[in-house]
Amino acid sequence: MSPLAETAGLLADRTRAAFCQALLDGRAWTAGELARHAGVRPSTASEQLSRLIEGGLLSEERQGRHRYVRLAGPEAAVLIETLAAYASDAPRPRNLRQSVQVSAEARARTCYDHLAGQLGGALADAMISRSLVADDSGLAVTPTGRTWLANALGYEHPASSRRPLVRSCLDWTERRPHLAGALGAALCATALERQWVRRVGSGRAVKVTPLGSQVLRELLGVEV
């Protein structure tokens, strides 16, 4: 079996797909937490997680008796988010709680370690319109953009880094790209650290704070 077929097979199972989508929040989960999230027995979760780890989509960390798993890296996150965007429309929420969660994630959420949803799209548009990022033939950070990153976020991309400074990630709710790569990660980390956005509950949704609304307007002209 080809590597492509093997990877596709890993995500063809509903339980494994649910695990991977939950882990797009960028955090480490225990097997028990993922079992409850997907509504399966712990033994089933353990078996399916082992397959995802062996297939290279997840990595495992152990602390004492606890076993934590997370996505193997940005490449795995981009793959899962892109497949979700190409999938058919998501099923309708079954109750008010699910409806609120879906609406919140569509407005603003984390996609592994960068920002997505309507907020992610607005940030991408703003950075391109201000010539911080060029999209002539693929995305690239301009010299002006590098200066902006250093001044506004205090980030300088290491020359030795293997991670691209910017890359596109197809947004599964907006059905258009948002910004990933080191730039997207730096923007998301700074926004959380400086409380421009805060997490909503334990999911992927984030909410722009009043401070964040002011800062994003001043930095990028984004109206939230």
Side-chain angles (χ1 to χ4, degrees):
M1 184 182 295
S2 71
L4 176 61
E6 291 177 0
T7 301
L10 287 173
L11 295 172
D13 178 83
R14 289 182 181 273
T15 298
R16 294 195 293 270
F19 290 169
C20 290
Q21 284 195 283
L23 290 165
L24 279 173
D25 67 0
R27 293 179 284 192
W29 290 49
T30 66
E33 289 169 338
L34 288 169
R36 289 190 292 272
H37 172 79
V40 298
R41 297 191 302 270
S43 59
T44 300
S46 181
E47 177 185 350
Q48 302 298 353
L49 287 173
S50 293
R51 292 192 61 180
L52 289 167
I53 293 167
E54 291 170 3
L57 288 178
L58 303 186
S59 62
E60 180 183 21
E61 302 171 9
R62 290 188 179 272
Q63 294 184 6
R65 296 183 303 167
H66 297 288
R67 177 196 195 193
Y68 293 90
V69 294
R70 63 170 72 244
L71 291 178
E75 294 79 9
V78 170
L79 171 64
I80 294 162
E81 184 83 358
T82 302
L83 286 174
Y86 277 110
S88 59
D89 292 338
R92 291 185 177 184
R94 291 174 293 182
N95 51 50
L96 179 60
R97 181 179 179 182
Q98 287 187 357
S99 179
V100 170
Q101 179 181 350
V102 169
S103 296
E105 290 185 352
R107 287 192 296 272
R109 67 181 184 278
T110 54
C111 173
Y112 188 57
D113 62 357
H114 53 273
L115 295 167
Q118 294 169 11
L119 175 61
L123 292 172
D125 290 343
M127 298 194 80
I128 291 171
S129 68
R130 293 188 171 220
S131 298
L132 303 178
V133 173
D135 65 343
D136 302 328
S137 54
L139 295 181
V141 179
T142 65
T144 301
R146 288 178 180 267
T147 300
W148 183 90
L149 276 172
N151 293 337
L153 305 184
Y155 178 80
E156 294 187 15
H157 194 55
S160 59
S161 176
R162 297 177 60 186
R163 188 175 190 183
L165 180 51
V166 66
R167 67 186 299 176
S168 65
C169 180
L170 187 60
D171 196 295
W172 71 270
T173 54
E174 294 295 288
R175 301 301 173 96
R176 65 189 185 97
H178 54 246
L179 301 180
L183 180 154
L187 184 55
C188 181
T190 301
L192 287 167
E193 180 182 341
R194 299 183 185 177
Q195 298 185 349
W196 299 346
V197 300
R198 62 176 177 82
R199 292 191 182 274
V200 179
S202 59
R204 297 170 57 193
V206 297
K207 183 176 182 179
V208 180
T209 65
L211 172 62
S213 294
Q214 178 184 343
V215 171
L216 293 178
R217 186 185 307 114
E218 293 173 352
L219 285 179
L220 293 167
V222 173
E223 295 289 344
V224 181

